[in-house]
Amino acid sequence: MERPKITPWKDLSQLVSVREQFYRKSDDDEDCRAKACSLVWVWKLRGNLPHAVEATALLTDAILHDDPDKNSIFSIRAAYSLAFCRFVTGLVDSKLHGRKQSMYQKAMAVGVPASFVELRHEATHRDLPSLVVLRDAATRSMNWLWEFYWDKIDDGSRCICEPFPEDEPELNDDEKSDILLQSLTFLLRPLIDYIYTTAGIREHRNRRKQQPGVKEDAIRNIVALCRKEKLAGAQLVEILIDRDVGHLSSCGYGKDDTEAEEEDEALFVVWDDVLKELSRSYEPFLTLLVEGMTAVLVSADADNFLDVEDWGDLIGETFEEELFQWLEHILTDDAWASLRNQYLVPTHARAICLESGSAEGFWASEISEILPGAYIPRKTENYTPSGAPDPSIDQNPDIAVLQNYGWDFGQAISCRPIGARRLSRSQACHIPLTNVTFLSHPSLMNVGKALFSRRLISTISKRKMHIESIPMWTGTGNNYAYLISDDASKDAMVVDPAHPPEVVPVLASHINDGKINLKAIINTHHHHDHAGGNEGILKQFGKLSVIGGKDCAHVTQTPGHGEKFKIGERITVTALHTPCHTQDSICYFAEDGNERVVFTGDTLFIGGCGRFFEGNAMEMHKALNEVLASLPGDTRVYPGHEYTKSNVKFCSTVSQSEAVKKLEEFANNNQQTQGKFTIGDEKLHNVFMRVTDPEIQKAVGATEPVEVMNRLREMKNKM
């Protein structure tokens, strides 16, 4: 028998009425929020008041208190801080009873953004945050409470803010699976809304304005659940590729009008970005996604595709065709190359294709041609089984002897590596371009193939994005300006040209030689040793755009966080706001195909970070460990100064890791380190990006990441 649940409200309609008063005005436009707060305080006296309801009332009361004409700024900040801290503390302390975990771990488990915990720490242990920050935090908190509590009370489902009954009976596997499915579906809801809203899909255009950080928070919550529950990753993939739900297959499936095609393209682009972010954030995701798609397609072979021999036999668009297009894109597109290299393990997907009878299926064959490391012949091809010499290969006693020792002789091929220039036989060291036999052995697989490819490749494709470092004030400030140009269009922009006497000759030489078309100046922040040369560059080269923070000299354009702009035809640059060193600090993430770089100014150095001149530890923690750390691991770092030797000297005082030792060795043997290390490298050797590492926490005597960041900076300042 289900236990009765005692609530402070009379019935559900009363709770719904309070929700309407908190989040909406009544029909006569009366602001009923104060009335709702008063009723909640009455409920509080009755007991059993859910934390989410109390937190909503506290935050609303603080918002109503926000009147500078009646109350002092300090009292307003104090009210906001108290309400916010109680809201966050109640969430992270009410979960996971009996398990010793940090607040960050508990926050991840219940879907609370890490920034909430950071701000709570700031408000509790340091100065009260600014009013602007607190107002934004209150708004985000109210939105979070709506998504995770108030929006769910109508259907009677369990809200994440409500603790589980301590004596709840143990669930069986099916019940656990159902709850996991419901949890994933719930966590996916804001992400799906974000995708459709961003893509501008018709039925979502009239929704309220998209809140910032929705995608990041949603992915963070989903990944937290996947890490906590072993089966969540596979179930997430099932939801995404489900025929009936149709999240991925909806990108074009069943659409036939022009506007729908435009929507499909926009939807595909946004979904593609989300899938990449999931792959970066949750390492097994890409493998699970490929395996799931492969399993669905191969199983369809036996049901519906027995008579299909080629694409011409497919009648109309099918669910399977849409799914294969996604799989083909993921396995072959250059934009996915680094993710495939880092995270994809195709063994299981390959095994699915090789199951008895599957190899002759249409989809199994198509997948085998694009799946890394797998080739499965179609039944219509003349195929020589592995181990049997190809008839076209001249037999001799040596081959027979090698076969007896386990060597395998594959088929002759007629091809040449992509991008290689066809050479004469003499140029190719007498290796013919056709009828080449590859040798394979358990210990020497593909050696012949690798050698063959190396011999034939005579030219290397030129990278389209070109970056030239321009050292300035060497021996004193050790600054860098950077010239970034698109080789195809010759369009170029110069980053932080602070010292015109050293920068102008380089730019003028390239312009006079017809190598670049200088379009703009990019500034990472307003300090004189970064933006102080703007006037001199403009005088020398005429009217140029100046892209940077609002305080930069002669600025003409201040991009928003996440805003993109182009350099030439191929290079896409994304502005990343990283306030702390200065409040107008912006890092610039540039992409050209698989080439990725980030210009970090004085926010991130190789092995270090900038001083907190206009910010605090919480802001630098967010800049380094949320914003920049979320970039692909192979993104090369171009900082504003050459400070690596002094940085690694400090790193070695708090960490003796192998990565720090390697950085120290490199710095001692090289004068310049810009562009030589990646974001992935920084996560290993930069102690400011290792604030959750027990080694660093022990060295500074703190465990909260923001406090670790603060102590590291104080220690570095004293060196």
Side-chain angles (χ1 to χ4, degrees):
M1 179 178 177
E2 186 177 354
R3 294 175 56 186
K5 185 176 181 180
I6 301 174
T7 64
W9 48 84
K10 183 177 180 181
D11 52 38
L12 183 61
S13 62
Q14 194 176 28
L15 180 63
V16 172
S17 175
V18 167
R19 179 186 68 180
E20 299 301 310
Q21 292 172 351
F22 276 133
Y23 285 92
R24 296 180 180 86
K25 292 184 178 181
S26 60
D27 294 336
D28 57 0
D29 290 330
E30 178 186 359
D31 191 342
C32 299
R33 290 178 294 176
K35 180 180 177 181
C37 290
S38 299
L39 183 56
V40 169
W41 304 142
V42 174
W43 289 351
K44 177 72 172 175
L45 296 175
R46 296 176 183 172
N48 292 330
L49 182 67
H51 173 69
V53 179
E54 180 183 352
T56 305
L58 284 169
L59 289 164
T60 302
D61 199 49
I63 293 170
L64 295 174
H65 186 76
D66 189 352
D67 186 350
D69 294 333
K70 297 180 180 179
N71 305 300
S72 68
I73 297 297
F74 181 81
S75 69
I76 295 173
R77 291 167 64 196
Y80 271 125
S81 298
L82 174 63
F84 182 79
C85 289
R86 189 169 178 83
F87 158 61
V88 176
T89 303
L91 287 175
V92 297
D93 281 353
S94 65
K95 289 292 188 183
L96 306 172
H97 298 289
R99 295 179 62 184
K100 188 176 181 180
Q101 290 183 305
S102 70
M103 283 191 170
Y104 284 90
Q105 291 172 317
K106 293 179 181 179
M108 288 180 64
V110 297
V112 176
S115 57
F116 281 13
V117 181
E118 294 164 8
L119 186 59
R120 173 208 167 274
H121 179 82
E122 181 76 10
T124 304
H125 301 289
R126 303 183 65 81
D127 293 337
L128 293 180
S130 69
L131 195 53
V132 173
V133 172
L134 288 168
R135 284 169 175 163
D136 177 68
T139 301
R140 292 175 61 202
S141 300
M142 292 292 287
N143 290 336
W144 190 94
L145 285 163
W146 174 269
E147 293 286 347
F148 285 84
Y149 182 82
W150 292 107
D151 194 35
K152 297 185 66 178
I153 62 175
D154 296 304
D155 58 13
S157 57
R158 186 190 302 278
C159 304
I160 198 168
C161 301
E162 296 180 4
F164 286 84
E166 294 182 4
D167 57 349
E168 186 171 314
E170 186 175 351
L171 303 174
N172 59 41
D173 291 342
D174 290 339
E175 290 172 330
K176 289 179 180 178
S177 179
D178 289 342
I179 291 177
L180 185 58
L181 180 62
Q182 292 174 12
S183 300
L184 281 169
T185 303
F186 173 71
L187 293 176
L188 274 169
R189 187 189 306 167
L191 184 61
I192 300 301
D193 285 344
Y194 161 83
I195 290 169
Y196 279 84
T197 303
T198 304
I201 301 304
R202 284 169 290 188
E203 57 266 29
H204 289 254
R205 286 175 183 164
N206 295 325
R207 293 198 170 197
R208 61 185 180 182
K209 185 178 179 181
Q210 187 81 54
Q211 295 294 324
V214 170
K215 181 185 75 169
E216 292 77 10
D217 288 346
I219 290 177
R220 189 181 300 113
N221 295 334
I222 292 169
V223 170
L225 181 60
C226 289
R227 294 192 189 281
K228 180 183 175 184
E229 299 291 342
K230 183 171 63 174
L231 300 178
Q235 202 150 23
L236 171 63
V237 169
E238 287 183 22
I239 296 172
L240 294 179
I241 65 177
D242 184 85
R243 179 189 295 268
D244 297 323
V245 177
H247 287 314
L248 293 183
S249 62
S250 63
C251 302
Y253 179 47
K255 307 290 183 67
D256 56 5
D257 60 273
T258 303
E259 185 175 0
E261 290 179 1
E262 294 175 356
E263 290 180 352
D264 297 340
E265 184 177 354
L267 195 59
F268 174 84
V269 170
V270 182
W271 261 116
D272 192 49
D273 176 65
V274 168
L275 292 178
K276 288 175 183 173
E277 191 62 36
L278 282 169
S279 299
R280 296 186 191 104
S281 303
Y282 182 55
E283 294 80 0
F285 176 76
L286 181 56
T287 297
L288 291 171
L289 183 63
V290 170
E291 289 174 359
M293 290 179 170
T294 302
V296 170
L297 290 169
V298 171
S299 65
D301 277 334
D303 298 331
N304 304 311
F305 294 86
L306 291 174
D307 299 325
V308 176
E309 291 291 337
D310 54 47
W311 285 88
D313 294 335
L314 294 176
I315 302 175
E317 292 184 336
T318 67
F319 164 78
E320 286 79 12
E321 186 175 353
E322 289 289 335
L323 202 59
F324 178 79
Q325 289 173 359
W326 265 112
L327 183 59
E328 183 180 38
H329 170 71
I330 291 169
L331 292 178
T332 62
D333 193 89
D334 288 344
W336 279 85
S338 63
L339 291 172
R340 291 195 300 269
N341 293 336
Q342 283 183 275
Y343 303 120
L344 179 59
V345 181
T347 308
H348 187 210
R350 192 180 306 142
I352 294 172
C353 291
L354 286 169
E355 285 179 353
S356 177
S358 297
E360 297 182 352
F362 175 75
W363 292 118
S365 177
E366 294 296 328
I367 295 171
S368 71
E369 294 179 7
I370 60 175
L371 195 63
Y375 175 73
I376 304 170
R378 293 296 303 274
K379 61 183 179 181
T380 56
E381 296 176 348
N382 294 322
Y383 174 65
T384 304
S386 177
D390 188 276
S392 63
I393 301 175
D394 294 332
Q395 300 300 305
N396 60 59
D398 293 333
I399 289 180
V401 171
L402 289 172
Q403 282 182 315
N404 291 334
Y405 281 92
W407 289 88
D408 183 27
F409 289 77
Q411 290 178 285
I413 64 167
S414 178
C415 66
R416 58 192 173 94
I418 295 174
R421 178 168 57 89
R422 187 179 292 277
L423 306 179
S424 67
R425 292 194 177 192
S426 60
Q427 288 175 307
C429 301
H430 303 288
I431 299 178
L433 292 174
T434 59
N435 198 25
V436 177
T437 303
F438 287 160
L439 302 179
S440 62
H441 188 272
S443 61
L444 295 171
M445 185 68 72
N446 288 331
V447 172
K449 185 175 182 179
L451 176 62
F452 176 64
S453 299
R454 284 199 298 272
R455 292 290 182 91
L456 282 181
I457 296 176
S458 60
T459 59
I460 300 175
S461 60
K462 191 175 182 181
R463 190 174 70 242
K464 299 298 181 183
M465 177 167 57
H466 180 73
I467 299 171
E468 180 176 353
S469 302
I470 307 174
M472 302 176 294
W473 295 299
T474 302
T476 53
N478 294 313
N479 288 64
Y480 286 119
Y482 298 104
L483 178 64
I484 176 172
S485 58
D486 173 46
D487 285 349
S489 65
K490 299 183 181 180
D491 287 351
M493 297 186 184
V494 61
V495 181
D496 288 347
H499 194 214
E502 293 180 278
V503 177
V504 168
V506 177
L507 299 180
S509 174
H510 290 325
I511 292 173
N512 294 336
D513 292 343
K515 294 181 179 179
I516 64 169
N517 303 316
L518 189 60
K519 296 293 185 180
I521 297 169
I522 298 176
N523 288 143
T524 58
H525 59 293
H526 70 264
H527 281 170
H528 184 77
D529 62 334
H530 291 263
N534 289 357
E535 184 174 355
I537 299 296
L538 292 172
K539 285 182 179 179
Q540 182 68 32
F541 298 107
K543 188 175 181 180
L544 300 172
S545 298
V546 178
I547 302 169
K550 60 182 179 63
D551 296 325
C552 294
H554 302 282
V555 65
T556 61
Q557 178 185 347
T558 298
H561 179 67
E563 185 176 337
K564 301 178 186 294
F565 58 90
K566 301 281 286 187
I567 301 177
E569 301 172 359
R570 293 173 53 94
I571 303 173
T572 301
V573 182
T574 304
L576 304 173
H577 286 206
T578 52
C580 181
H581 180 72
T582 65
Q583 284 301 301
D584 69 343
S585 290
I586 302 176
C587 296
Y588 298 91
F589 173 57
E591 296 178 280
D592 181 0
N594 291 329
E595 285 289 322
R596 302 179 183 88
V597 302
V598 61
F599 300 96
T600 57
D602 286 1
T603 295
L604 172 66
F605 300 125
I606 304 300
C609 71
R611 291 176 180 264
F612 308 165
F613 285 133
E614 298 179 13
N616 53 44
M618 183 181 70
E619 289 178 313
M620 184 58 78
H621 174 54
K622 181 177 181 179
L624 297 184
N625 300 314
E626 289 188 18
V627 177
L628 294 178
S630 68
L631 297 177
D634 60 355
T635 303
R636 290 179 291 129
V637 178
Y638 287 87
H641 295 266
E642 183 55 64
Y643 289 162
T644 307
K645 284 188 177 180
S646 63
N647 287 337
V648 75
K649 181 180 178 181
F650 169 70
C651 288
S652 62
T653 65
V654 293
S655 173
Q656 286 72 48
S657 69
E658 192 63 30
V660 172
K661 293 177 182 177
K662 289 182 178 179
L663 177 62
E664 185 175 24
E665 181 182 1
F666 186 91
N668 290 335
N669 295 319
N670 294 272
Q671 294 296 321
Q672 298 184 3
T673 59
Q674 77 284 10
K676 301 296 192 299
F677 295 94
T678 65
I679 289 293
D681 296 326
E682 292 304 306
K683 291 179 181 179
L684 295 176
H685 61 224
N686 191 327
V687 295
F688 293 94
M689 296 186 76
R690 294 170 55 196
V691 292
T692 59
D693 188 326
E695 181 189 18
I696 309 302
Q697 293 176 344
K698 182 179 179 181
V700 302
T703 56
E704 287 288 344
V706 175
E707 183 59 27
V708 174
M709 175 69 72
N710 186 62
R711 295 191 184 188
L712 284 171
R713 187 65 257 178
E714 290 177 349
M715 292 166 64
K716 179 69 165 66
N717 292 344
K718 294 176 182 178
M719 284 190 63

